[in-house]
Amino acid sequence: MKSWSAPELPQLSTTGTVPTVFDTGARSPRRLSGRDGRAALYVCGITPYDATHLGHAATYVAFDLLGRVWRDAGLDVVYVQNTTDVDDPLLERAAATGVDWRELAESQIQLFRDDMEALRVIPPQDYVGVVESIPRIAAAVSALLAEGAAYTLDNGDVYYRVDTPIQPPFGSVSHDDRATMLRLSAERGGDPETPGKENPLDPLLWRAARDGEPSWDGGALGPGRPGWHIECTVIADDCLGLPVDVQGGGSDLIFPHHEMGAAHAAAWQRTPLARTFMHTGMVGFEGEKMSKSKGNLVLVSQLLAEGVDPMVIRTVLLSNHYRSDWNFTRDLLDSAAERLAAWKHAATCESECREGLRTHIIGLLREALADDLDSPRALGILDEWAEHYADTPAGEPGAVTGERVADAVDALLGIRLRD
């Protein structure tokens, strides 16, 4: 599956440091130094039955920020993202709207590509759909069956046994108790009430073919399609090799998605899924979590259609720490536009700025981002930088000795200050 066009990335002559971030599984900070100069990042993608909302955008901008900081530290970043281009919500939306599910998926994937390109998100090297991965997924499910880590119901559906002894043990990502797991499973795509399951928490690996639903040849599994969690484990292993350095996604994926994916990796490949699990906070609107089911989405494409500068949107997203839950209001766009205008003005005055001061500002930006990707702190540093030039008439960029702050802002934060 094709990705989207990459933004131009300024090359800085000096390098930063690798970041330390909060690891959900370890429940503590972890320094992300990669291995042998390489950093492997896997971020769970969208289920394409609706357009990109600000919650999606916040997640992908956050991991774009991680990739930029890694690159600035001199690491070779290998980034993979999936898209769940066949799943129950997609099929249900297609049926409700009378649109072929494949057309619906492709239209929403293209919207996502357009939104990511506008926000200057560096694309993954591999952007992989579930449909193109089905043969590999079916082989993994068959392997889990052969290991005794999965079982088949009378209707042909295959489930993973969460009671399978594995290392690290089941629950090591979320640390949730059983009651919380059961509740979240029911809320987030699980089926704890399905009769015949050995354990209500057991997740679906392979859904046997049903009339009126798309299905594919699963070999010994029979015709059907994949369950949700196994797809990311297989795609990550296929494209990056396990364990990846970082498995990322929204905090609503901690359980069951990442917990189950980690269990599949441990049972199938005898390895952790990831060395570090990173999760972004939830974005709300009018006091509630932004979600498709609640109908309170603020869509990136709608904001762009209104004429909102995509760099204003990116500034709003980076104004909030990636791990925090926050609430969107229209006032945030106005505030971000004012900040962006001040930074752009300062960028025109860089020829008036001493090289030592520019080096100091860039160092402060790197220091903030190395500390758990503290983008609000980094933007505050830019506010102070811009304040130096608030009363200086805008000028031509002119000749600048040494690195420009504007180039560092572009490379590190993805915010373009020069037209």
Side-chain angles (χ1 to χ4, degrees):
M1 179 175 293
K2 71 174 183 177
S3 190
W4 54 92
S5 298
E8 183 180 350
L9 192 64
Q11 296 299 309
L12 305 182
S13 61
T14 57
T15 57
T17 58
V18 296
T20 296
V21 303
F22 187 82
D23 181 352
T24 303
R27 296 190 282 191
S28 63
R30 183 184 296 273
R31 190 167 184 264
L32 299 181
S33 55
R35 298 187 72 184
D36 301 322
R38 175 182 183 266
L41 172 64
Y42 185 92
V43 180
C44 295
I46 62 167
T47 299
Y49 64 98
D50 212 337
T52 317
H53 59 71
L54 284 183
H56 291 138
T59 291
Y60 299 116
V61 166
F63 288 104
D64 180 60
L65 186 63
L66 171 61
R68 288 170 178 270
V69 174
W70 260 339
R71 290 180 179 90
D72 184 57
L75 295 180
D76 177 24
V77 179
V78 186
Y79 175 27
V80 174
Q81 185 183 135
N82 76 307
T83 184
T84 307
D85 54 354
V86 61
D87 199 18
D88 289 345
L90 171 63
L91 300 178
E92 290 164 4
R93 178 64 60 85
T97 57
V99 178
D100 183 90
W101 66 272
R102 287 158 293 202
E103 293 178 10
L104 177 60
E106 179 50 39
S107 67
Q108 300 309 302
I109 290 169
Q110 187 56 51
L111 266 179
F112 178 74
R113 293 187 187 108
D114 293 343
D115 292 342
M116 293 299 99
E117 190 168 326
L119 293 174
R120 304 190 76 245
V121 172
I122 298 171
Q125 284 93 334
D126 289 298
Y127 187 47
V128 185
V130 170
V131 171
E132 65 188 285
S133 307
I134 286 176
R136 299 190 294 278
I137 295 171
V141 174
S142 295
L144 288 168
L145 279 167
E147 289 287 336
Y151 60 94
T152 305
L153 298 185
D154 291 343
N155 65 356
D157 290 350
V158 181
Y159 281 85
Y160 173 77
R161 285 191 172 98
V162 297
D163 295 324
T164 301
I166 55 173
Q167 287 296 327
F170 183 72
S172 296
V173 178
S174 66
H175 304 280
D176 289 334
D177 58 32
R178 182 175 175 82
T180 301
M181 289 181 177
L182 285 168
R183 175 177 60 81
L184 293 177
S185 177
E187 293 174 359
R188 298 174 178 173
D191 58 351
E193 301 300 324
T194 295
K197 290 171 59 173
E198 296 178 358
N199 186 323
L201 290 173
D202 290 347
L204 181 68
L205 292 169
W206 185 259
R207 179 177 169 86
R210 265 76 159 174
D211 290 341
E213 293 185 6
S215 62
W216 290 263
D217 180 11
L221 302 175
R225 57 184 170 91
W228 178 26
H229 314 300
I230 188 65
E231 68 182 78
C232 286
T233 303
V234 172
I235 293 171
D237 181 63
D238 187 59
C239 296
L240 295 170
L242 301 181
V244 300
D245 290 298
V246 169
Q247 161 75 77
S251 58
D252 55 346
L253 297 184
I254 298 173
F255 192 91
H257 189 51
H258 289 168
E259 191 74 74
M260 297 303 181
H264 297 340
W268 172 45
Q269 296 288 49
R270 303 290 195 273
T271 180
L273 176 61
R275 297 182 180 90
T276 300
F277 289 87
M278 283 180 64
H279 294 97
T280 58
M282 295 290 101
V283 180
F285 181 59
E286 296 181 344
E288 290 190 305
K289 173 192 167 185
M290 198 177 295
S291 68
K292 295 168 185 172
S293 61
K294 293 180 179 177
N296 63 347
L297 303 182
V298 178
L299 302 180
V300 172
S301 56
Q302 289 179 346
L303 293 177
L304 295 174
E306 292 171 13
V308 178
D309 184 340
M311 292 301 92
V312 167
I313 301 172
R314 187 168 177 116
T315 298
V316 169
L317 299 175
L318 292 174
S319 298
N320 299 275
H321 191 271
Y322 79 91
R323 286 198 287 119
S324 65
D325 296 336
W326 55 281
N327 196 51
F328 173 78
T329 65
R330 302 288 301 200
D331 291 345
L332 294 178
L333 295 173
D334 296 333
S335 175
E338 291 177 4
R339 298 177 86 180
L340 184 63
W343 302 337
K344 286 185 172 183
H345 174 79
T348 71
C349 303
E350 282 206 280
S351 60
E352 306 295 325
C353 180
R354 301 189 314 275
E355 182 178 352
L357 177 58
R358 293 197 306 274
T359 300
H360 178 64
I361 295 295
I362 294 170
L364 291 177
L365 290 176
R366 283 171 162 155
E367 182 181 296
L369 295 176
D371 181 12
D372 201 19
L373 305 182
D374 194 345
S375 58
R377 180 174 146 202
L379 299 195
I381 292 164
L382 292 182
D383 290 337
E384 294 180 8
W385 168 66
E387 185 64 26
H388 285 285
Y389 305 103
D391 297 322
T392 303
E396 297 299 322
V400 174
T401 302
E403 293 179 340
R404 297 176 184 269
V405 173
D407 285 339
V409 172
D410 192 341
L412 293 168
L413 293 164
I415 298 174
R416 187 162 180 81
L417 299 184
R418 294 198 300 270
D419 296 329

